[in-house]
Amino acid sequence: MPAPYGVTPEGFNRKPVSAIIADSEAQQLANIDPNFDVSIDQVPGQMTGIFSNELGIAWEVLEICYHAFDPDAAEDYLLESLGKLTGTPRR
């Protein structure tokens, strides 16, 4: 069973780009053709890599949003916004 991604009892588990690529390739092989060439030197493999990288960036943004409400993990403007929500003045 693959690792649970997203919000878990231990915190937030970001899905790595390598797992996104593997899942996408597995879906292509299952839904298109088991002999479909998904290697990186072919157009479908290159497109999978491009889209997977963009999805990886989205997972990073989700992780930032998750940590935005944790005063020990929030940084920069997120920490300042959290301080405004809790009424904690900026030093």
Side-chain angles (χ1 to χ4, degrees), residues 12-34:
F12 189 85
N13 188 16
R14 179 170 34 112
K15 190 172 190 178
V17 173
S18 59
I20 296 170
I21 290 173
D23 289 348
S24 180
E25 289 175 348
Q27 287 181 5
Q28 290 176 46
L29 294 173
N31 295 321
I32 298 172
D33 183 357

Side-chain angles (χ1 to χ4, degrees), residues 10-72:
E10 293 79 33
F12 189 85
N13 188 16
R14 179 170 34 112
K15 190 172 190 178
V17 173
S18 59
I20 296 170
I21 290 173
D23 289 348
S24 180
E25 289 175 348
Q27 287 181 5
Q28 290 176 46
L29 294 173
N31 295 321
I32 298 172
D33 183 357
N35 298 319
F36 190 63
D37 190 1
V38 293
S39 59
I40 195 67
D41 61 337
Q42 298 298 317
V43 173
Q46 292 175 357
M47 292 182 69
T48 298
I50 292 168
F51 293 134
S52 296
N53 186 51
E54 294 299 316
L55 287 171
I57 292 169
W59 273 96
E60 289 176 8
V61 170
L62 289 171
E63 184 176 32
I64 291 169
C65 291
Y66 174 82
H67 291 295
F69 289 99
D70 181 358
D72 293 328

